Amino acid sequence: MIVAPSLLAADFARLEESVKTVERAGADWLHCDVMDGVFVPNISFGFPVIKAVAGITELPLDVHLMIVNPDRYVGAVRDCGAMMMNVHQEACTHLHRTVQSIHDAGMKAGVTLNPATPVCMLEDIIADVDMVLLMSVNPGFGGQTFIEHTLAKIRNLRELIVRSGSKALIEVDGGINSATAPAVAQAGADVFVAGSAVFRSENPAEIIQSFKSL
Ligand code: DX5
Ligand code: ZN
């Protein structure tokens, strides 16, 4: 399993220390949640913060844009040094064009689905994406409860990926902790996003290692 701690749960007054802690604890990627107060009912942080974080970590940045019109910000995300740019399917009218422009900018392209959006919406884009991010909570806040139906979606998505010969990874985001992670891995996920479970833990290394070994 690839483990991507979510910066949203970090101590913002001690950002560098928090990032270094998860880096030393064995995190694979750093997940950066950008919220605009329009697509989701919350506002988090933006590009200057991500750029500053990029300057103090070696971890690849997995940027999750919970914003309207994410296609406007492909250049800004690239300039932050992001490895992966995730856009919501629900926020993109011309998803194929957006995925293309993310690739043209030299980043990997991820497409994200809200809990109520079915996996079949990705039938005609799955071959072109590097990752699908399944939301296992409604986006906007950390620390919410995992939605069990996500397990069925992971299995459907795995079927679609195999059937279409896609190389897409499956990332799951929201409510991942020691209790929910085993079933998520079992259902076929490749990448765990975990905010509270990692940053609020007394021992981030132990929790990250336990996720990686699933
Ligand atoms: C939710 C964000 C998540 C969030 C996960 O809108 O996309 O990445 O930080 O937080 P936890 O792991 O606490 O559910
Ligand atoms: Zn996220």
Side-chain angles (χ1 to χ4, degrees):
M1 294 294 306
I2 294 169
V3 179
S6 166
L7 195 62
L8 192 63
D11 180 347
F12 290 156
R14 294 188 180 80
L15 205 45
E16 180 164 11
E17 202 180 309
S18 297
V19 171
K20 295 283 181 201
T21 300
V22 295
E23 190 167 3
R24 277 195 299 267
D28 298 293
W29 300 348
L30 192 63
H31 184 82
C32 303
D33 288 305
V34 178
M35 302 178 185
D36 66 353
V38 180
F39 183 73
V40 289
N42 197 9
I43 297 177
S44 58
F45 50 79
F47 306 123
V49 173
I50 298 177
K51 216 171 197 168
V53 166
I56 55 127
T57 184
E58 297 293 313
L59 294 175
L61 301 182
D62 174 34
V63 176
H64 176 195
L65 297 175
M66 286 161 273
I67 65 173
V68 296
N69 301 321
D71 45 295
R72 282 194 195 167
Y73 301 100
V74 173
V77 175
R78 182 217 34 227
D79 291 347
C80 288
M83 175 271 298
M84 177 82 72
M85 174 166 165
N86 294 289
V87 297
H88 270 259
Q89 183 273 340
E90 303 87 358
C92 295
T93 310
H94 302 289
L95 183 58
H96 187 272
R97 178 183 288 147
T98 305
V99 165
Q100 245 175 355
S101 64
I102 294 170
H103 282 150
D104 289 347
M107 293 179 286
K108 292 195 182 297
V111 173
T112 309
L113 297 184
N114 278 334
T117 307
V119 165
C120 64
M121 295 303 286
L122 300 175
E123 287 254 356
D124 295 310
I125 193 74
I126 192 73
D128 300 303
V129 302
D130 302 292
M131 191 166 80
V132 175
L133 168 48
L134 293 179
M135 289 310 302
S136 40
V137 296
N138 287 293
F141 304 91
Q144 303 182 83
T145 305
F146 181 83
I147 298 170
E148 288 291 324
H149 178 65
T150 313
L151 298 174
K153 286 178 77 174
I154 298 170
R155 290 190 285 267
N156 285 344
L157 178 56
R158 179 58 68 200
E159 262 176 46
L160 175 63
I161 287 172
V162 169
R163 176 154 50 86
S164 60
S166 164
K167 301 257 188 308
L169 294 172
I170 302 177
E171 180 175 56
V172 181
D173 184 5
I176 302 281
N177 54 39
S178 316
T180 55
V184 175
Q186 182 73 37
D190 302 297
V191 188
F192 284 146
V193 175
S196 351
V198 169
F199 282 98
R200 305 283 146 85
S201 160
E202 292 284 299
N203 192 342
E206 190 177 62
I207 185 103
I208 290 175
Q209 292 314 316
S210 74
F211 287 165
K212 285 172 87 159
S213 64
L214 285 170

